[in-house]
Amino acid sequence: MQTEPLKPKGEQLLRDFVAQLRAIHIDQLERKWITISLLVIGLFVGIITIDAFFHGVNPPSKVETVDSASLHLNKEFAEDNLGVQVDEKGNVIVRMVAGRYAFFPKHISVPAETPITLRWVSMDVLHGVHIPMTNMSTMIVPGYVAEITTTFPKPGEYPVLCNEYCGMGHNHMWSNISVIAKEDWTAPVKSAAKGGSTNE
Ligand code: CUA
């Protein structure tokens, strides 16, 4: 019995497949639409690629877990550790809790034109957060920390919206972030005492 090497067999299969594909009659009109659909897919893949590389729009790349049921006992997301802090390196870090039907703390002020790392957790169900005019848009899945770094382009009031249906009050779940000119912004006093990065 002869045993043929694996590779040529694979090649033969591929050649047969291509030959069969060629033999299929494809209507002219159908061929046109196949081309159009492939172009549309190419366009979307292109948009995703450009967004990922140039606009910093990415799926979350790290998985960080948290116990959503005991956030009040968690050092990092305990109530008095929430809000805006500046760490030793001068990075602005914001810790927020989403719960039906609000974002806590209710109001924060951050500087414009400064990279800001926002860490979101949910205290109950799945929420989302979207801040128009920025790349801030993510799900807040119970049990996980959603971390996104964003920069607010200019001072003003930015809406913070929940964009995942989370219950009857979902459409009331929104608040504002005040973005202040970089030179007018002062770090909150509590920042130095409690640098929160407990999970690193
Ligand atoms: Cu929270 Cu919708």
Side-chain angles (χ1 to χ4, degrees):
M1 199 179 119
Q2 262 188 333
T3 46
E4 277 178 53
L6 208 69
K7 204 178 153 214
K9 206 172 183 182
E11 267 180 33
Q12 188 56 45
L13 276 173
L14 190 70
R15 227 173 274 143
D16 288 351
F17 178 70
V18 172
Q20 277 174 22
L21 214 60
R22 287 231 173 89
I24 298 173
H25 169 74
I26 301 175
D27 188 80
Q28 205 54 39
L29 188 66
E30 203 173 1
R31 196 179 288 274
K32 198 170 97 187
W33 280 107
I34 290 172
T35 313
I36 290 172
S37 351
L38 289 177
L39 285 176
V40 169
I41 292 168
L43 176 74
F44 289 158
V45 170
I47 290 172
I48 292 169
T49 310
I50 289 168
D51 268 342
F53 285 105
F54 298 105
H55 302 156
V57 177
N58 295 298
S61 54
K62 61 170 194 176
V63 175
E64 193 183 333
T65 54
V66 71
D67 181 6
S68 278
S70 63
L71 290 177
H72 58 294
L73 302 173
N74 174 307
K75 225 167 148 195
E76 183 180 1
F77 292 98
E79 192 172 351
D80 59 357
N81 207 35
L82 299 179
V84 188
Q85 296 188 6
V86 179
D87 72 6
E88 329 61 74
K89 292 176 209 139
N91 301 316
V92 183
I93 297 174
V94 179
R95 292 183 178 82
M96 299 285 286
V97 171
R100 290 184 287 182
Y101 294 103
F103 297 102
F104 305 98
K106 286 265 190 187
H107 185 258
I108 57 166
S109 301
V110 294
E113 299 164 273
T114 307
I116 293 165
T117 301
L118 292 112
R119 290 169 61 73
W120 304 86
V121 288
S122 165
M123 65 160 94
D124 42 37
V125 298
L126 176 69
H127 296 279
V129 55
H130 173 51
I131 304 179
M133 294 166 284
T134 70
N135 67 337
M136 183 69 245
S137 181
T138 184
M139 279 180 165
I140 309 172
V141 184
Y144 295 90
V145 179
E147 181 180 307
I148 295 215
T149 300
T150 194
T151 302
F152 294 92
K154 52 178 196 247
E157 290 290 313
Y158 286 69
V160 180
L161 313 162
C162 179
N163 63 359
E164 291 287 340
Y165 182 75
C166 51
M168 298 293 275
H170 162 71
N171 52 337
H172 301 295
M173 187 167 168
W174 61 276
S175 62
N176 280 322
I177 287 186
S178 299
V179 179
I180 292 166
K182 209 174 171 175
E183 53 278 13
D184 298 337
W185 185 79
T186 43
V189 206
K190 68 172 180 179
S191 62
K194 284 197 185 119
S197 44
T198 52
N199 284 10
E200 265 87 57

